[in-house]
Amino acid sequence: MTEADPERFRALIETRLAALDEEDRLGRDGQRAVELDQQAVGRLSRQDALQSQAMAKATQARRDIAKRGLKDALARIDEGEFGYCEDCGEEIAVKRLELDPTARRCISCAR
């Protein structure tokens, strides 16, 4: 990994965090409480509305986990530990980090 790589990955991570924040903003409507008034729900049944709400909450939970991982990666960049396997200390392949900048282990240790 070159000296420029951590800053390149910082930009990539910050872009992904911004995208997740935008998805959060857009997903808030789906997590609102389901109303009993059938006029407000339209043709969907209350059960369908509850299922949609549960799916929106599950999606939000996945986004929260992804954001935590990305923020942890930013902290590793700040500490100078980004790109090194936490088990063996070897460099993690740049291609692996490009696919998943939250990766904490090299491919050998991840197996």
Side-chain angles (χ1 to χ4, degrees), residues 7 24 28-30 39 43 50 53-54 72 94 97 99 101 111:
E7 291 311 310
D24 282 349
R28 285 189 193 111
D29 287 342
Q39 296 293 332
R43 298 214 272 154
L50 288 170
Q53 180 189 45
D72 288 346
V94 173
L97 291 171
L99 289 174
R111 288 186 193 156

Side-chain angles (χ1 to χ4, degrees), residues 69-100:
L70 291 168
K71 288 177 182 178
D72 288 346
L74 284 176
R76 288 193 305 279
I77 289 173
D78 292 339
E79 295 165 1
E81 296 177 8
F82 181 80
Y84 295 97
C85 179
E86 66 181 18
D87 289 345
C88 70
E90 294 294 319
E91 279 193 17
I92 299 172
V94 173
K95 292 288 186 187
R96 178 170 169 78
L97 291 171
E98 287 171 350
L99 289 174
D100 182 10

Side-chain angles (χ1 to χ4, degrees), residues 28-57:
R28 285 189 193 111
D29 287 342
Q31 297 178 46
R32 289 194 178 134
V34 176
E35 297 180 23
L36 292 172
D37 182 9
Q38 290 296 323
Q39 296 293 332
V41 175
R43 298 214 272 154
L44 294 176
S45 69
R46 177 164 167 70
Q47 189 64 34
D48 289 338
L50 288 170
Q51 182 179 13
S52 293
Q53 180 189 45
M55 289 175 15
K57 286 183 178 183

